[in-house]
Amino acid sequence: MFMHNKRLQYTVRVAEPNPVLASLMLEQFGGPDGELAAAMRYFTQGLAEDDPGRKDLLLDIATEELSHLEVIGSIVAMLNKGVKAHISEGDMEEAELYMSLTQGGNSHTQAILYGGGPALTNSAGVPWTAAYVDSRGDPTCDLRSNIAAESRAKIVYERLINLTDDAGIQDALKFLMTREVAHQKSFEKALYAIEDNFPPGKLPGVPEYASMYVNTSQGEGDMRGPWNDGPEWDRVDDLQQTLPADDGDGMPTVTLGSADTAALSQLAERTKSDPSTNPTTGADLAAGPGAGRTKSDVEA
């Protein structure tokens, strides 16, 4: 059960309206790394979690993320206050209204469609989607995803902070940014509280492939480091000699029943190509400069 406290977790102080900045702030409201996505990710994970400690952690952070959504939404609403009032009252000349609405971003959509309120979209106006929630139901997999999500959100907040000189907005964004750091620390502690947390899941990796590094991008710029070289790795440079990785010939096969075999043979016969022909095509008939050699050129 939720109970709303009318006080924000961090006080929002906006110096002056700015609808363009408001549209950019929506990235952390309805964007893929925003607060709604985080809240839904951790809330759904928490409901499904069987470990009491992780369940408590996830629901704590999920609920706090909703409070962060409230902070960001309040910033957006405050930044849109001016244009909301003018467009609602129609007290500005047409040209002035156009200028105030179309300064950049999707500020015009925010004002006209959503009345200056925070919309569940990202900064480009793309609607929020549950596809942003990438939980898999395995604690080690999801905790690593959560750590990455908090890292991405922290970077987005950094960029938003650099976009404004409004000290009050900067203070609020720095608070939210720092809470992403704190959440990452909590998720990392929860991850490492699980013994043998790598690789994720129950099934072990196949030993002969778990330490293989395949150097598939070769040429100038090849680099060696602890990520691909040394005693922890079986480095594969000669792909022709060492692949396929198993003892097969690398060719795909399938076992078919008699009915499937007959149908496949019929299909192959009906759709086969005749390599001995050279039919005249539309490209031959309509060829102009830059078409390359065509049948008419060769026959001429």
Side-chain angles (χ1 to χ4, degrees), residues 157-261:
Y157 273 124
E158 278 193 28
R159 293 170 180 170
L160 289 174
I161 290 168
N162 291 334
L163 287 173
T164 180
D165 294 327
D166 188 317
I169 294 177
Q170 283 188 338
D171 285 346
L173 295 182
K174 286 177 182 178
F175 168 77
L176 296 174
M177 178 193 73
T178 307
R179 294 306 299 153
E180 309 292 353
V181 176
H183 294 166
Q184 181 176 338
K185 289 164 60 178
S186 293
F187 286 138
E188 289 203 4
K189 292 294 185 182
L191 173 63
Y192 285 95
I194 303 172
E195 293 186 7
D196 296 333
N197 62 60
F198 181 82
K202 180 179 180 180
L203 295 177
V206 180
E208 55 264 40
Y209 306 140
S211 296
M212 176 190 295
Y213 183 88
V214 184
N215 182 23
T216 53
S217 175
Q218 298 187 8
E220 185 177 354
D222 255 12
M223 298 290 293
R224 290 177 179 262
W227 55 86
N228 67 3
D229 198 21
E232 296 176 43
W233 296 106
D234 299 322
R235 183 182 171 96
V236 176
D237 290 301
D238 190 346
L239 306 186
Q240 294 296 325
Q241 297 298 318
T242 56
L243 293 180
D246 61 355
D247 57 3
D249 60 9
M251 302 303 295
T253 60
V254 60
T255 301
L256 299 175
S258 57
D260 291 334
T261 301

Side-chain angles (χ1 to χ4, degrees), residues 30-298:
D33 300 314
E35 302 295 353
L36 178 62
M40 294 301 99
R41 181 184 295 112
Y42 308 149
F43 186 65
T44 52
Q45 288 176 15
L47 292 179
E49 181 58 71
D50 294 317
D51 181 87
R54 291 195 299 269
K55 187 180 190 75
D56 184 48
L57 167 67
L58 288 162
L59 293 179
D60 279 342
I61 295 182
T63 306
E64 185 182 358
E65 300 290 19
L66 287 174
S67 76
H68 295 173
L69 186 73
E70 186 180 23
V71 172
I72 280 289
S74 297
I75 292 174
V76 172
M78 297 301 102
L79 287 169
N80 278 327
K81 283 292 185 184
V83 70
K84 175 183 178 179
H86 290 302
I87 196 171
S88 296
E89 297 304 310
D91 62 355
M92 296 175 67
E93 295 294 330
E94 180 179 357
E96 293 177 308
L97 273 175
Y98 281 155
M99 289 180 61
S100 66
L101 289 176
T102 58
Q103 298 177 53
N106 68 334
S107 56
H108 58 288
T109 302
Q110 298 304 306
I112 296 172
L113 189 58
Y114 302 112
L120 288 177
T121 71
N122 70 1
S123 58
V126 178
W128 187 87
T129 170
Y132 295 155
V133 179
D134 54 2
S135 304
R136 292 297 175 267
D138 176 85
T140 63
C141 178
D142 287 344
L143 285 169
R144 283 190 170 86
S145 179
N146 297 349
I147 291 166
E150 296 291 329
S151 301
R152 292 192 300 268
K154 195 265 186 184
I155 295 301
V156 174
Y157 273 124
E158 278 193 28
R159 293 170 180 170
L160 289 174
I161 290 168
N162 291 334
L163 287 173
T164 180
D165 294 327
D166 188 317
I169 294 177
Q170 283 188 338
D171 285 346
L173 295 182
K174 286 177 182 178
F175 168 77
L176 296 174
M177 178 193 73
T178 307
R179 294 306 299 153
E180 309 292 353
V181 176
H183 294 166
Q184 181 176 338
K185 289 164 60 178
S186 293
F187 286 138
E188 289 203 4
K189 292 294 185 182
L191 173 63
Y192 285 95
I194 303 172
E195 293 186 7
D196 296 333
N197 62 60
F198 181 82
K202 180 179 180 180
L203 295 177
V206 180
E208 55 264 40
Y209 306 140
S211 296
M212 176 190 295
Y213 183 88
V214 184
N215 182 23
T216 53
S217 175
Q218 298 187 8
E220 185 177 354
D222 255 12
M223 298 290 293
R224 290 177 179 262
W227 55 86
N228 67 3
D229 198 21
E232 296 176 43
W233 296 106
D234 299 322
R235 183 182 171 96
V236 176
D237 290 301
D238 190 346
L239 306 186
Q240 294 296 325
Q241 297 298 318
T242 56
L243 293 180
D246 61 355
D247 57 3
D249 60 9
M251 302 303 295
T253 60
V254 60
T255 301
L256 299 175
S258 57
D260 291 334
T261 301
L264 185 61
S265 297
Q266 184 177 349
L267 173 64
E269 179 64 26
R270 181 172 61 82
T271 59
K272 70 179 181 179
S273 297
D274 183 356
S276 66
T277 64
N278 184 15
T280 300
T281 68
D284 294 310
L285 297 174
R293 286 191 294 273
T294 63
K295 184 180 180 182
S296 57
D297 296 327
V298 174

